[in-house]
Amino acid sequence: MLSTVRAGTRRGISGLGNHIGRATRRSSVGGQSQFRSSSSEAVAPAVHFSAAPDTVPIPEKPQRITISEIKERRARAGRLVAPTAAPSDADMFKGSTTGKPKAKRWDHHLTHESTLRAPCKLKQAARHLKQPGIISLGGGLPCPEYFPISSLSLHIPIPPNFSESDTLSGGGGETVTIGKYDAASTNQPAAEYDLSIALNYGQATGSAQLTRFVTEHVELALGAPPYADWGVCLTPGSTAALEQTLRMLCDGVGRRDTLLTEEFAFSTALETAAPLGVGVVGVPMDGEGILPREMERILAEWKPEERGGRRRPHVLYTVPSGQNPTGATQGVERRREVYEVARRWDVIIMEDEPYYYLQMGQPGEQQKASRGVEEFLEGLIPSYLSMDVDGRVVRMDSFSKVVVPGSRLGWITASAQLVERFVRHAEVANQGPSGFSQVILHKLLDERWGHEGYLRWLMHLSEEYTRRRDVMVAACSEFLPKEVVSWNPPRAGMFHWLKVRHELHPDATSKSILEIEEEIFNRCIAKGVLVARGAWFRADQDKPPSGLYFRTTFAAATPDNMREAIRRLGEAIRESFHL
Amino acid sequence: MLSTVRAGTRRGISGLGNHIGRATRRSSVGGQSQFRSSSSEAVAPAVHFSAAPDTVPIPEKPQRITISEIKERRARAGRLVAPTAAPSDADMFKGSTTGKPKAKRWDHHLTHESTLRAPCKLKQAARHLKQPGIISLGGGLPCPEYFPISSLSLHIPIPPNFSESDTLSGGGGETVTIGKYDAASTNQPAAEYDLSIALNYGQATGSAQLTRFVTEHVELALGAPPYADWGVCLTPGSTAALEQTLRMLCDGVGRRDTLLTEEFAFSTALETAAPLGVGVVGVPMDGEGILPREMERILAEWKPEERGGRRRPHVLYTVPSGQNPTGATQGVERRREVYEVARRWDVIIMEDEPYYYLQMGQPGEQQKASRGVEEFLEGLIPSYLSMDVDGRVVRMDSFSKVVVPGSRLGWITASAQLVERFVRHAEVANQGPSGFSQVILHKLLDERWGHEGYLRWLMHLSEEYTRRRDVMVAACSEFLPKEVVSWNPPRAGMFHWLKVRHELHPDATSKSILEIEEEIFNRCIAKGVLVARGAWFRADQDKPPSGLYFRTTFAAATPDNMREAIRRLGEAIRESFHL
């Protein structure tokens, strides 16, 4: 039942590996869950808030496992045998969950669309393929004989020497090769993945091979959630994960949902929600992101009749670390408070964390030169996942900012119930991420670097971005007029958010904030610097803006160009303000 | 405006190539198009059918260009300079459209959701980057310095020797390398694409480099549509394209659309439509697929009040070549007739053609050994695209069946208006296909094989599948009881459809067709062969089935296993029928 083995192909693998064999299956929610008619909820939104709040305490700190525990676990499990389109899930690879409670049920959060999803008939039939000797004339999977690529090689750095120039010159780094039939080759007993598997059709969850890596990575770097039945699903990037999760949780028609998010929010998230008819309400922020008391206030004071009939929000979308666009990072206490508000009001948290590993100290703060990976992990602000006693967090991870955006590869971590609904959608939305991306990242991260090498890479990246952040903050101090521009040095990510005191502008009484913002933006363009306008990120596009902001990034330009660009921005602001 | 050039990065390309420079832009439909309230349409569906049918004749044959024309065109255009995230579209690469009419407007076909889509604010801002010397602090694109892969090599066959064993042995084929900065390297003046571009963020349309290849391929292999403003958009495979197109054209709520499709249809298409609330109606078929007179009848006799208030269908989803599951291939006359019905009733045609190039002769028919690519193309049944005088066809192509499924890469070809709406969705649904997939397929198909090599590969594949089809048809003749099983040898694709005369079954009066089908299916499993049940593919799941069918595939099993599998199937049927 667990492994799709196609008899009669050249690979001819018919055994089931330890991992695949010892998996426990989650029961599918597909058949049972009921779509709850929601027209009544729109006017009487308090139904599922009336239960007494649970009192299970949030764990003090993340329960991380160690790299040596992962090594022991893999040694015990033996070689992973997962041939073409083998089903897999996190349960096959994660540590013991004995004694942990199960996640709550979230049926009342699911959209009509999500509830209607049924498993793919052809993929279900694959369960018959576990029968020894069966020949499949069932699924239309091409024979790998017809894949016109017989091997793929990558030149990559060897940790801890991540210098691009060393690797490019050919003197450093190593070349590693992925063959077509490595996993079946007697010459390569350790090989568990190859082109014949990765380049054929797979499961919408992604491959077992990469699922193992990300499951272990979650337990190692974030700590397993404090409930038992969590799972993962690989995605074609967090853009896809965001849209799929929204369609799973937010109905634009029928019950007419509204999404809570930061007052200034990732513009793509806003552009994803709008065509679905999903409303968006921005939660006021400070330097640490959304304010729990403001989130509480919005929920407590929500009146559908004042909100065009929309029911009280039940989903929060947040970027806790290095938020886009404000660069704000929620500290651990802030996250706990937000989580408690979410519990009280039965809110699902969509935790979008592309910049999580790009956490930084204060500018000028010296990083210990000989930091170990344990120290690095201990220094990370805990993920909502690690506090998630209810199973109400859907965390989105992505390799875009920390490996390459072009991989279009990431994953979600959430309760098994939500992952199952998500997978049903992935089967018809995209069939999971590219096999090229999966097999290349598996070779790099799992086979060559391993967890330790990957963590060292993340440390390296966070140091690089810290250096860039420091250049930008120093340039701002040097070139921006402090009497009208202020900022908090970002503690994570790629973005620096500048607040401009519009009320001091000579035209403050005759021009709107948007007009002043546009005037400064155009001056910037004329002077040769492109910045992002704060207005592009306003969650409530209909409300007048509360302030004048610009977003800059320290991700892309060289240090010299960054300084020059900030100098031009400073000139533009000074001229506009007649300073 | 046309090229996103990020200043300050190591690549530092600031020029615009000929191609990018000579593009003409389509105007966006975003701002103008109006969502037409459709509740009225549900009860008065004839509004846009009342106009006199157009009389523009369907062209006699496809207007294909030649490989030498493509070469001349490229030589005239010069080197393609398309750096990171450079916008592109088919207009930059296609031949002259002088004298051709424009496509009709399809605003009335768009869903509410699709109509509401607005362009991505951050991507719009990139237009400022054309300004010389501008430094971008705008978009959060990582610096390619932090991409930990400095080169990628592939071992691939050299046309026309496509033998896997030759290429695998290392004696045949060639190894080609994609560097990180090839396109900027003075050592490689011909290089137009590299890892620094492909692995960064790109446009949701896919890269300019691969857009050029597929645009030319459409004109070369299918013939350009007979209207001027057609376009293409790369997709992460046709699974994604299908869901995106459905969401663009079919409203499950509001106007409550119904999709026309084959009586037996690709089950994933049915599973995509159902959760959206989109109805499905199957059009009766013969050995050549959907019957135009039946399609006409359904449309002419449609009464919303007899269809639960659903309005008359305005979209047809069809797999014209090697249809899944029936293997039926529509001949040219059939396609013309279907197109004329679509014109009369204002129906958009979603043409899903994964098996298009796997067209075959009759079993036993000898293929000329020295066929040229021109002959191969002349022998292909024309695509709906080549007849599409109105611009009402959305064709979906995929590399899954003809290169590798794991590429998760394909493209759509359609009128610029529909492509523009599709791209707006792709921006938030997936941001286009994987960069690894794009750069690898570009290296293989464009740089190494070229159009001629790729066509030779397609010829090779169609010959291989013909050989496999012949093995299967011969096995069926040998092992299946002809008194109860019949079939048409498929003329394309991977699937063989078997009709079983259930009325001759000993339990025909006491058991339903579905019960007999299940009994035979279970006997098959017990005997060690997995086939697909006809019932899984019924478009109208609520209606009683009209016959008893099984689908087999000749794609995957070895010839010996195929024969053995059909022998087992024959035994199962004989036993069930007491023969």
Side-chain angles (χ1 to χ4, degrees):
Chain A
M1 192 186 112
L2 293 165
S3 176
T4 299
V5 182
R6 293 185 307 120
T9 71
R10 132 163 226 164
R11 294 197 59 253
I13 291 178
S14 58
L16 298 174
N18 287 348
H19 276 115
I20 301 286
R22 71 190 175 80
T24 45
R25 299 299 293 179
R26 309 190 283 259
S27 65
S28 155
V29 71
Q32 302 123 265
S33 61
Q34 297 284 320
F35 174 62
R36 297 187 20 189
S37 164
S38 49
S39 51
S40 62
E41 293 189 279
V43 289
V47 171
H48 46 268
F49 304 138
S50 55
D54 278 358
T55 48
V56 180
I58 295 174
E60 278 301 307
K61 51 182 291 193
Q63 299 302 305
R64 294 195 176 90
I65 58 167
T66 62
I67 291 173
S68 48
E69 279 173 70
I70 293 174
K71 285 184 179 156
E72 284 163 26
R73 197 190 290 171
R74 285 204 187 192
R76 275 198 308 278
R79 184 165 165 270
L80 171 60
V81 179
T84 303
S88 69
D89 63 28
D91 287 348
M92 298 177 185
F93 308 115
K94 67 197 204 193
S96 166
T97 55
T98 311
K100 285 186 179 179
K102 283 193 121 189
K104 297 190 175 186
R105 296 288 303 175
W106 306 116
D107 304 74
H108 58 288
H109 283 281
L110 297 175
T111 57
H112 191 186
E113 174 183 312
S114 184
T115 307
L116 288 176
R117 296 197 175 282
C120 177
K121 286 202 183 70
L122 288 168
K123 287 192 205 290
Q124 279 187 302
R127 73 181 186 281
H128 297 290
L129 294 173
K130 66 172 177 174
Q131 183 181 310
I134 199 161
I135 304 174
S136 176
L137 304 178
L141 286 77
C143 181
E145 184 184 342
Y146 305 133
F147 297 172
I149 298 170
S150 56
S151 71
L152 206 59
S153 301
L154 340 170
H155 194 74
I156 55 175
I158 303 173
N161 181 12
F162 296 116
S163 145
E164 185 194 41
S165 53
D166 285 2
T167 313
L168 272 180
S169 71
E174 61 170 345
T175 299
V176 294
T177 298
I178 308 161
K180 205 191 235 185
Y181 300 109
D182 287 355
S185 162
T186 49
N187 297 334
Q188 303 205 47
E192 297 174 326
Y193 201 23
D194 61 29
L195 298 184
S196 80
I197 302 169
L199 302 188
N200 214 325
Y201 284 106
Q203 297 292 326
T205 56
S207 65
Q209 288 82 356
L210 203 53
T211 296
R212 178 175 63 178
F213 183 83
V214 303
T215 302
E216 293 166 350
H217 175 76
V218 165
E219 292 187 278
L220 170 66
L222 308 175
Y227 63 94
D229 53 337
W230 59 277
V232 302
C233 176
L234 299 188
T235 66
S238 291
T239 300
L242 172 59
E243 202 206 27
Q244 286 176 233
T245 306
L246 270 184
R247 294 201 190 265
M248 177 168 74
L249 298 172
C250 296
D251 257 324
V253 289
R255 68 186 188 191
R256 305 193 59 228
D257 282 321
T258 298
L259 185 68
L260 288 174
T261 188
E262 284 93 351
E263 181 182 7
F264 291 93
F266 178 37
S267 53
T268 300
L270 305 175
E271 288 153 4
T272 306
L276 310 188
V278 173
V280 176
V281 166
V283 182
M285 313 168 72
D286 65 7
E288 281 198 56
I290 44 173
L291 289 159
R293 65 168 184 278
E294 293 290 332
M295 179 173 159
E296 176 93 36
R297 186 187 53 75
I298 291 169
L299 290 162
E301 294 176 0
W302 192 272
K303 292 194 181 64
E305 58 275 20
E306 293 170 2
R307 302 282 188 165
R310 290 185 178 273
R311 69 175 199 155
R312 192 196 315 252
H314 67 113
V315 181
L316 166 70
Y317 169 80
T318 182
V319 181
S321 311
Q323 197 255 355
N324 184 353
T326 66
T329 297
Q330 301 168 13
V332 58
E333 278 313 312
R334 175 64 54 93
R335 294 182 195 211
R336 289 170 161 271
E337 289 162 23
V338 169
Y339 188 82
E340 289 294 8
V341 176
R343 290 184 92 180
R344 273 198 294 281
W345 295 94
D346 192 19
V347 168
I348 300 273
I349 299 175
M350 291 170 63
E351 179 187 29
D352 187 5
E353 278 287 35
Y355 316 108
Y356 182 74
Y357 297 101
L358 305 181
Q359 296 185 31
M360 309 164 185
Q362 289 290 357
E365 199 178 291
Q366 280 298 312
Q367 209 53 262
K368 249 174 56 186
S370 59
R371 231 176 7 152
V373 296
E374 298 294 337
E375 245 170 311
F376 170 66
L377 294 177
E378 287 297 319
L380 295 174
I381 299 166
S383 164
Y384 278 103
L385 266 192
S386 68
M387 311 173 177
D388 187 17
V389 286
D390 296 340
R392 64 174 67 253
V393 173
V394 179
R395 180 177 162 114
M396 295 181 268
D397 276 277
S398 165
F399 290 114
S400 289
K401 301 301 194 297
V402 289
V403 182
V404 289
S407 65
R408 302 282 80 227
L409 188 55
W411 74 92
I412 62 156
T413 311
S415 82
Q417 182 190 10
L418 296 182
V419 170
E420 192 272 342
R421 291 288 85 196
F422 186 92
V423 173
R424 292 290 85 78
H425 187 193
E427 285 173 352
V428 297
N430 47 55
Q431 299 201 50
S434 155
F436 283 117
S437 300
Q438 290 190 63
V439 79
I440 290 170
L441 262 64
H442 179 265
K443 180 61 92 175
L444 175 72
L445 303 181
D446 188 288
E447 270 193 56
R448 300 313 305 166
W449 286 1
H451 287 290
E452 168 128 13
Y454 182 46
L455 292 177
R456 290 211 169 273
W457 168 255
L458 295 174
M459 291 164 69
H460 165 74
L461 271 191
S462 103
E463 287 156 16
E464 290 289 308
Y465 279 97
T466 302
R467 203 170 47 79
R468 288 174 159 271
R469 188 268 323 259
D470 291 351
V471 169
M472 170 149 293
V473 171
C476 289
S477 293
E478 186 174 347
F479 296 117
L480 300 186
K482 288 202 198 58
E483 56 274 40
V484 294
V485 191
S486 61
W487 59 87
N488 293 311
R491 300 290 301 263
M494 302 181 156
F495 298 112
H496 192 211
W497 186 241
L498 301 169
K499 180 173 172 53
V500 181
R501 297 184 61 185
H502 59 92
E503 71 278 11
L504 300 181
H505 195 276
D507 301 330
T509 51
S510 61
K511 281 187 178 170
S512 72
I513 291 177
L514 287 180
E515 285 167 329
I516 298 172
E517 189 185 283
E518 186 172 10
E519 188 241 58
I520 296 173
F521 177 81
N522 289 336
R523 271 182 205 271
C524 284
I525 296 294
K527 288 183 178 297
V529 55
L530 175 65
V531 296
R533 290 180 56 176
W536 294 342
F537 305 97
R538 285 185 305 133
D540 304 280
Q541 292 280 331
D542 302 333
K543 279 204 234 165
S546 60
L548 199 172
Y549 299 90
F550 291 98
R551 186 195 81 175
T552 64
T553 178
F554 45 92
T558 60
D560 283 352
N561 276 335
M562 251 194 278
R563 278 176 51 82
E564 173 59 18
I566 295 293
R567 197 193 59 75
R568 294 176 186 174
L569 170 64
E571 248 182 42
I573 296 173
R574 276 177 220 277
E575 286 177 16
S576 175
F577 276 78
H578 304 315
L579 298 173
Chain B
M1 189 187 112
L2 293 165
S3 177
T4 299
V5 182
R6 295 187 306 118
T9 71
R10 132 164 225 163
R11 293 196 61 254
I13 291 176
S14 58
L16 297 177
N18 286 349
H19 277 111
I20 301 286
R22 70 189 175 83
T24 46
R25 301 299 295 179
R26 310 190 280 261
S27 65
S28 156
V29 69
Q32 303 123 263
S33 60
Q34 296 284 320
F35 174 62
R36 290 175 39 176
S37 166
S38 47
S39 51
S40 62
E41 292 188 277
V43 288
V47 170
H48 46 269
F49 304 138
S50 57
D54 277 1
T55 47
V56 180
I58 296 175
E60 278 301 309
K61 51 181 294 196
Q63 298 304 304
R64 294 196 176 91
I65 58 166
T66 63
I67 291 173
S68 48
E69 279 173 69
I70 294 173
K71 284 184 181 157
E72 282 162 28
R73 197 190 289 170
R74 285 205 188 191
R76 274 198 307 278
R79 182 164 167 271
L80 172 59
V81 178
T84 303
S88 69
D89 62 28
D91 286 346
M92 297 178 187
F93 307 116
K94 68 197 202 192
S96 166
T97 54
T98 310
K100 286 186 178 179
K102 283 193 119 188
K104 296 189 175 187
R105 296 288 302 176
W106 306 115
D107 304 75
H108 57 289
H109 284 280
L110 298 175
T111 58
H112 191 183
E113 174 182 314
S114 184
T115 307
L116 288 175
R117 297 196 175 282
C120 177
K121 285 202 184 71
L122 289 168
K123 287 192 205 289
Q124 279 187 301
R127 72 180 188 278
H128 296 293
L129 294 172
K130 67 170 177 174
Q131 183 180 309
I134 200 162
I135 304 173
S136 176
L137 304 177
L141 285 79
C143 181
E145 182 184 343
Y146 304 134
F147 297 171
I149 299 170
S150 56
S151 70
L152 206 58
S153 300
L154 338 171
H155 194 71
I156 55 174
I158 303 173
N161 181 13
F162 295 116
S163 148
E164 185 194 39
S165 53
D166 285 2
T167 312
L168 273 179
S169 72
E174 62 170 343
T175 299
V176 295
T177 298
I178 307 161
K180 205 190 235 184
Y181 301 109
D182 287 355
S185 162
T186 47
N187 298 335
Q188 305 204 47
E192 296 174 327
Y193 202 23
D194 61 30
L195 299 183
S196 79
I197 301 169
L199 302 186
N200 215 324
Y201 284 105
Q203 297 292 326
T205 55
S207 65
Q209 288 83 357
L210 204 52
T211 295
R212 178 176 61 179
F213 183 82
V214 304
T215 302
E216 292 165 350
H217 176 76
V218 165
E219 291 186 277
L220 170 65
L222 308 174
Y227 63 92
D229 52 336
W230 58 277
V232 302
C233 176
L234 299 188
T235 67
S238 290
T239 300
L242 172 58
E243 203 207 26
Q244 285 176 234
T245 307
L246 270 183
R247 293 199 191 266
M248 178 168 73
L249 298 172
C250 295
D251 256 324
V253 289
R255 67 185 188 189
R256 303 193 57 229
D257 281 320
T258 298
L259 186 67
L260 287 175
T261 187
E262 284 93 354
E263 181 182 6
F264 292 94
F266 177 38
S267 53
T268 300
L270 305 175
E271 290 153 2
T272 306
L276 309 189
V278 173
V280 176
V281 166
V283 182
M285 312 168 73
D286 66 7
E288 280 199 58
I290 44 174
L291 289 160
R293 64 169 183 276
E294 293 291 333
M295 179 172 158
E296 176 92 34
R297 186 187 53 75
I298 291 168
L299 291 163
E301 294 175 1
W302 191 274
K303 292 195 181 62
E305 58 276 21
E306 294 170 3
R307 303 281 189 167
R310 287 185 182 277
R311 67 173 199 158
R312 192 195 317 249
H314 66 112
V315 181
L316 167 70
Y317 169 79
T318 183
V319 180
S321 312
Q323 197 254 354
N324 185 352
T326 66
T329 296
Q330 300 167 15
V332 59
E333 277 313 313
R334 176 64 55 95
R335 293 180 197 212
R336 288 167 162 274
E337 288 161 27
V338 169
Y339 189 82
E340 288 293 8
V341 177
R343 289 184 94 180
R344 272 198 293 282
W345 295 93
D346 193 19
V347 168
I348 300 274
I349 299 176
M350 290 169 63
E351 178 186 29
D352 188 6
E353 278 287 35
Y355 316 108
Y356 183 75
Y357 296 102
L358 305 181
Q359 296 185 31
M360 310 164 185
Q362 288 290 356
E365 199 178 291
Q366 282 298 311
Q367 208 52 263
K368 251 177 51 187
S370 61
R371 227 171 16 148
V373 296
E374 298 293 337
E375 246 171 310
F376 170 68
L377 294 176
E378 287 296 321
L380 295 173
I381 300 167
S383 163
Y384 278 104
L385 267 192
S386 68
M387 312 173 177
D388 187 17
V389 285
D390 295 342
R392 63 174 66 253
V393 173
V394 179
R395 179 175 163 117
M396 294 181 269
D397 277 276
S398 165
F399 290 114
S400 288
K401 302 300 194 297
V402 290
V403 183
V404 289
S407 66
R408 303 282 80 228
L409 188 55
W411 74 93
I412 62 157
T413 312
S415 82
Q417 182 190 7
L418 296 181
V419 169
E420 192 272 343
R421 292 288 86 196
F422 187 93
V423 172
R424 293 288 87 78
H425 186 194
E427 284 172 352
V428 297
N430 47 56
Q431 298 202 50
S434 154
F436 283 117
S437 300
Q438 291 190 63
V439 78
I440 289 170
L441 263 64
H442 179 265
K443 180 61 90 173
L444 176 72
L445 303 181
D446 188 287
E447 268 193 58
R448 301 312 307 166
W449 287 1
H451 287 288
E452 166 127 18
Y454 182 47
L455 292 177
R456 293 212 167 270
W457 168 256
L458 295 172
M459 291 165 69
H460 164 73
L461 271 190
S462 108
E463 286 155 17
E464 289 289 309
Y465 279 96
T466 302
R467 204 170 47 78
R468 290 175 157 268
R469 188 270 322 262
D470 291 352
V471 169
M472 169 146 295
V473 170
C476 290
S477 294
E478 187 174 346
F479 296 116
L480 299 185
K482 290 204 196 57
E483 55 275 40
V484 295
V485 191
S486 62
W487 58 87
N488 293 310
R491 301 289 303 265
M494 303 182 156
F495 298 113
H496 192 210
W497 186 242
L498 301 169
K499 178 173 172 57
V500 182
R501 295 183 61 186
H502 60 91
E503 69 279 12
L504 300 182
H505 195 275
D507 302 331
T509 52
S510 62
K511 281 186 175 169
S512 72
I513 292 177
L514 286 180
E515 285 167 330
I516 299 172
E517 188 184 283
E518 188 172 11
E519 189 242 56
I520 296 173
F521 177 81
N522 289 337
R523 272 183 204 271
C524 284
I525 296 295
K527 289 186 179 294
V529 54
L530 176 64
V531 296
R533 292 180 56 177
W536 294 342
F537 305 96
R538 286 185 305 131
D540 302 279
Q541 291 280 333
D542 302 334
K543 278 206 232 164
S546 60
L548 199 172
Y549 299 90
F550 291 99
R551 187 195 80 175
T552 65
T553 178
F554 45 92
T558 61
D560 283 354
N561 275 335
M562 251 194 276
R563 278 177 51 82
E564 173 59 18
I566 294 294
R567 197 193 59 74
R568 294 175 187 175
L569 171 64
E571 248 182 42
I573 295 173
R574 276 178 219 278
E575 286 177 17
S576 176
F577 276 77
H578 304 314
L579 297 177

